[in-house]
Amino acid sequence: PFLACLEPSSQPGSDMSGLCLSVLGTTVFLPVSVFTLSWQHSIEKTQWEERWRIEEGESSGLVFVEGRIHGSGAGMEPPLQARLDDGVWVYEEPLRLPALHLAHSPFALPYRLCPGDEACHPLDAWLPALPEIGEVELFPCSPSSPSSPPSAADSAGSMARKVSAKR
């Protein structure tokens, strides 16, 4: 089943936290506490997946839970601490970010977002107005305050930047 996206204004007074996806001033709220981001490496055609947890409160952020790489190849070696589990490299890494910044373009297959344990869908299924080339920002939020993503400077050097480089 496809998880319904809620426009922030459609849930007045709700303080439930979740994940916001934002592009060009359009923000969509997903009421989830965990999500998986997946993509295919643009050169090696290898599937990558990252599981993230949303933390609330004063130190809200996106907390990296686990990464999975379905193979290896030039320029995409798994981290040193990765273990090979049934042909898939699995790793954990202590990482907390205020936001993820994802490059979107026609030159690579789109990122796919899997909210909670629901089915995965390409980013344009969540953001129908996604431009052909652009940057999508994912960040923790609530329906009452969805439109204030962290600045790109807050996430400089983040795994999201490494991820975009490996696509």
Side-chain angles (χ1 to χ4, degrees):
F2 189 76
L3 183 65
C5 298
L6 304 176
E7 284 296 329
S9 60
S10 70
Q11 295 295 316
S14 173
D15 286 333
M16 175 184 193
S17 71
L19 179 68
C20 276
L21 288 71
S22 185
V23 65
L24 296 177
T26 299
T27 302
V28 174
F29 173 78
L30 299 176
V32 298
S33 59
V34 296
F35 66 95
T36 300
L37 189 62
S38 69
W39 68 95
Q40 185 181 76
H41 189 279
S42 61
I43 304 297
E44 295 289 340
K45 309 298 185 213
T46 300
Q47 185 70 25
W48 288 57
E49 299 166 356
E50 290 181 349
R51 186 83 165 159
W52 292 87
R53 182 179 73 243
I54 298 165
E55 290 211 350
E56 305 177 48
E58 293 257 335
S59 59
S60 69
L62 302 175
V63 177
F64 183 77
V65 176
E66 179 183 81
R68 301 174 61 80
I69 307 170
H70 297 258
S72 61
M76 49 175 267
E77 292 75 22
L80 292 175
Q81 74 275 21
R83 67 187 184 284
L84 192 57
D85 184 3
D86 201 21
V88 177
W89 291 101
V90 180
Y91 64 98
E92 295 85 31
E93 191 170 315
L95 182 62
R96 173 194 210 87
L97 301 172
L100 296 174
H101 301 267
L102 309 175
H104 176 76
S105 82
F107 306 110
L109 290 175
Y111 285 96
R112 296 178 60 79
L113 181 71
C114 321
D117 293 322
E118 299 291 326
C120 301
H121 297 282
L123 287 181
D124 61 0
W126 306 105
L127 292 163
L130 186 61
E132 185 177 43
I133 296 177
E135 180 180 288
V136 178
E137 189 165 17
L138 282 62
F139 58 96
C141 67
S142 67
S144 58
S145 63
S147 58
S148 55
S151 72
D154 292 340
S155 299
S158 70
M159 177 169 279
R161 300 245 182 248
K162 293 179 196 171
V163 164
S164 293
K166 290 190 175 191
R167 282 192 64 195

